[in-house]
Amino acid sequence: MADLPSITNNPDIRFLGKLLGDVIRAYGGEALYARTESIRAASVERHRGADAGDTADLGLDQLDLDETLDFVRGFMLFSMLANLAEDRQGIAAEQGADLASALERLAGEGIDRPRAIALLQHALVAPVLTAHPTEVRRKSMIDHRNRIAALMQLRDGGATDTPDGDDIEEAILRQIALLWQTRVLRRERLYVTDEVETALSYLRDVFLPALPALYQRWDRALGGRTPGFLKPGSWIGGDRDGNPFVTADSLRAALAKASEAVLGYYLEGVHALGAELSISTNLAPADAAVAALADASGDTSESRSDEPYRRALSGIYARLVATHQALTGKPAPRLGPLKGERYADPQAFRADLVVIARALAAGGDGALSSGGALGRLIRAVETFGFHLATLDLRQNSAVLERVVAELLKVAGVEDDYLALTESQRVSLLRHELSNARPLGSAFAAYSDETQSELAILRAAATAHATYGTACIVQHIVSMAQSVSDLLELNVLLKEVGLYRPHGDTPDAAIMAVPLFETIGDLEAAPDIMTEWFALPEVRSVTAKRGYQEVMIGYSDSNKDGGYLTSTWSLSEASTALRGVFAETGVGMQLFHGRGGAVGRGGGSAFAAIRAQPFGTVQGRIRITEQGEVIAGKYGTRESAMTNLEAMASATLLASLEPEPLSAADTRRFAAAMDQLSTSAFEAYRGLVYGTEGFRTFFREMTPIAEISGLKIGSRPASRTKSDRIEDLRAIPWVFSWAQARVMLPGWYGVGQALDSFADKGLLREMAQGWPFFAATLANMEQVIAKSDMGIAARYAALVEDRALADAIFPRIAGGWRQAHDGLLAVTGQSRLLEAHPALETSIRLRLPYIEPLNRLQIELIKRRRAGDADERIGEGILLSINAIATALRNSG
């Protein structure tokens, strides 16, 4: 494919685009190539402004159904390769988003390295992988993409051949040809086990090697050993909120597969060290501790009699083999000749490795103590243990409530728990938590729901005994609206021994974490946490742990109140919670439930963390990563290291930098945001929930019904069988608006709020001097730039009731214009993204490739809804959804 003049600064896109054109010509034929190129050129000309009319003829009507499918695949692959090229050229990297730069910035503000290190001693930064269904690409497509990335890296280094002797450019062409011939769509829906395998591939292939290497870089920046503060997490296999397919079996499978992966990595590492550490006692004296390990190993091989390090490592390997068998129930991939006793825990394994490291450091001038493979392996054990990633549990509060109610009734304690007031519930639950007597009985009959919940918690208790307590630390309670919601979980944890009364000093092996999701929940969060900490048993448990986590949800708060109100409510709740935690003396750890799209908290994590309210990060933060975001940020070791370091450096800055605003400015800006939020909330709620027929308009204008045909997740799109927007999950809500190029959740209501605010000078001052407001506008600017009301109008034509469409769509288009104009006025720009040229180039590149896909999608939807049953139409719709999502990058 020929290049756009606007992207000539990215040679990778030109190179990969040319190879894709060659593949289409070779495998699709000259006619398809010519027709594709003609449509591409016409769309490019339209977006250059040469023919900006909405009726510009792109030649799409000349494609038959088979050509349409091929055309859509071609444009999708170009977007996929363009994403790769941009990531390689540093689009994802942000200036100053590395630890060395953060330390330099802090030093300039009078904050020295010892203070930074002291913070990191108690810090936690955790990206948490979830299975939320926003990744439309099959894993096979992502694998080919990653192979191309690896080949491009070899090409960067000046190599012309691969290590296997293949010509590099031919090898890249071969991978693109394989992409062209790889089926894009999944034929069967995903199961939880599929989602576990996908997440595991990132944890095993990227996080395992990337994090130890990143820590080595940080050791150099800090001038000493960096505290182990960054560790990955996962929800996959433990998140059963609305997903009936997550069971005790899936939890056990997720934990076992993770343990198998990390133990396999350790086995390979120890084996490699055995090959490397050939030190002979004939040339270097034997360290006593290493000699003891060697003697205990049982390795009596004559050939290694003078090589204590190798003998010691043989014993360590044998013990790892036994550990692998004990924890996974499977033999190790490579068995050794020796027998060993399994390691009781990761600390015992680490202790043996440290013996070897100290001995190496003691000899000579320390040349062998610089870290290397052994240092990275020790760091891996500290970071990943025997569990690889901490697995969260999550369930809706309504489910936990029903289960506790049934247990109480069957036990004869309370016949109608659900009829009790909140204070009565709290009193009853606290009484149950004060004694060790279980409620459940092996001889009683319970509902399937109750049996399932108890089975999952029993599996969690077994996991603690098997893999260590770090394998499961948090249990999130979705839709938490009261203290009793959290106490109910503790009662269930007590049933399986994960909560122990112990008189006045109870223990909770798993922490109950409230998730506040809606606008009302966020407003109530400070009062709920104040009541929570007022309970003596809670104070005791949190004092032992040192911190309490609270999760705040971006997705549902946005669907509930719109972008601006959601963003401000999250900020206000965080600030109010900071005061609650300060009063109790408990460390605060916020868990941010962000998505990929701006309407769900997406955007730059570096900017988002730094824009958190002052004093709310405190060195501890967890952030969900999901769907297409996982592949985009963690698809390769290099991109993972870039993004993980950005999270780490932003956390350091947000925790230690002084308050950017004066007290007076804080009050002024907050008052302005209150007014803006109120206006935006009224506009958003008035449209989405207060407009008669809006639900029908949304479902007919967007491809929400068609999206359900994409087999991209194991859980249903709605929490209930209702078609109400309130019951629709946030992901398909955002996804649908993105496909129709409206992006409504990311901006609607903001334009009306900015327009009605009298003091425009104050808004400009806020945009210049307040990181929170600047980040809010910058994220919104992205989605406004990706929106297109001309294309959206074509989707609105899908609505059967023309009067309904004519009444609602002009309000949406008018709101977009207000948001567009208001943003430019506040930021002082003459056009969108003027201050962000790299992002502007990225989006401008995509627009000519997305518009034809949107137009084809609309025509195919028309035919399908009119009753055309040709299977190719359904396939074309799903392919177009896939292609548009790939081009938009953060559509879900």
Side-chain angles (χ1 to χ4, degrees), residues 161-202:
D161 298 332
T162 69
D164 295 326
D166 294 331
D167 178 85
I168 282 185
E169 295 198 2
E170 288 181 2
I172 295 171
L173 180 69
R174 187 178 303 117
Q175 289 299 319
I176 295 174
L178 287 169
L179 273 173
W180 176 255
Q181 297 181 94
T182 296
R183 174 168 45 84
V184 175
L185 301 174
R186 297 183 180 93
R187 288 180 174 168
E188 298 178 345
R189 72 171 179 85
L190 283 177
Y191 294 91
V192 177
T193 51
D194 299 317
E195 294 168 337
V196 168
E197 289 288 353
T198 298
L200 191 60
S201 68
Y202 290 103

Side-chain angles (χ1 to χ4, degrees), residues 430-467:
R430 291 186 64 201
H431 175 73
E432 288 301 321
L433 289 170
S434 68
N435 66 79
R437 172 185 53 80
L439 287 170
S441 168
F443 305 101
Y446 298 101
S447 66
D448 290 344
E449 182 177 65
T450 294
Q451 291 184 62
S452 176
E453 286 302 307
L454 291 176
I456 285 171
L457 295 179
R458 290 190 193 102
T462 301
H464 269 213
T466 305
Y467 308 108

Side-chain angles (χ1 to χ4, degrees), residues 6 70 117 196 402 418 462 480 482 614 650 654 670 690 753 844 868 871:
S6 62
D70 288 337
I117 293 171
V196 168
R402 290 194 297 267
L418 299 181
T462 301
S482 63
F614 178 72
R844 284 172 61 86
D868 194 327
E871 290 184 0

Side-chain angles (χ1 to χ4, degrees), residues 11 140 192 229 244 264 279 289 324 329 389-390 461 479 511 582 654 692 701 772 797:
S140 298
V192 177
F229 67 95
I279 300 170
H324 188 284
T390 298
M479 300 301 292
M511 174 171 45
E692 186 175 354
M701 175 186 173
F772 165 79

Side-chain angles (χ1 to χ4, degrees), residues 836-847:
H836 307 281
L839 183 57
E840 180 186 25
T841 298
S842 171
I843 291 177
R844 284 172 61 86
L845 161 68
R846 281 162 171 68
L847 297 181

Side-chain angles (χ1 to χ4, degrees), residues 17 64 105 201 229 247 327 400 421 505 528 532 540 567 587 685 703 724 743 776 863 876:
D64 62 29
R105 182 184 181 94
S201 68
F229 67 95
T247 64
L327 298 191
L400 302 179
T421 65
T505 59
I528 292 173
W532 178 243
S540 175
T567 305
R685 294 285 302 188
R724 299 190 319 152
M743 312 282 192
T776 300
R863 291 177 62 175

Side-chain angles (χ1 to χ4, degrees), residues 392-408:
D392 288 2
L393 305 180
R394 183 171 76 132
Q395 183 55 283
N396 194 285
S397 61
V399 175
L400 302 179
E401 178 184 73
R402 290 194 297 267
V403 171
V404 168
E406 183 174 8
L407 287 173
L408 289 168

Side-chain angles (χ1 to χ4, degrees), residues 47-70:
H47 281 270
R48 280 178 178 157
D51 185 0
D54 189 52
T55 59
D57 180 18
L58 300 181
L60 295 171
D61 56 352
Q62 298 176 27
L63 298 171
D64 62 29
L65 269 177
D66 290 327
E67 289 174 329
T68 294
L69 300 184
D70 288 337

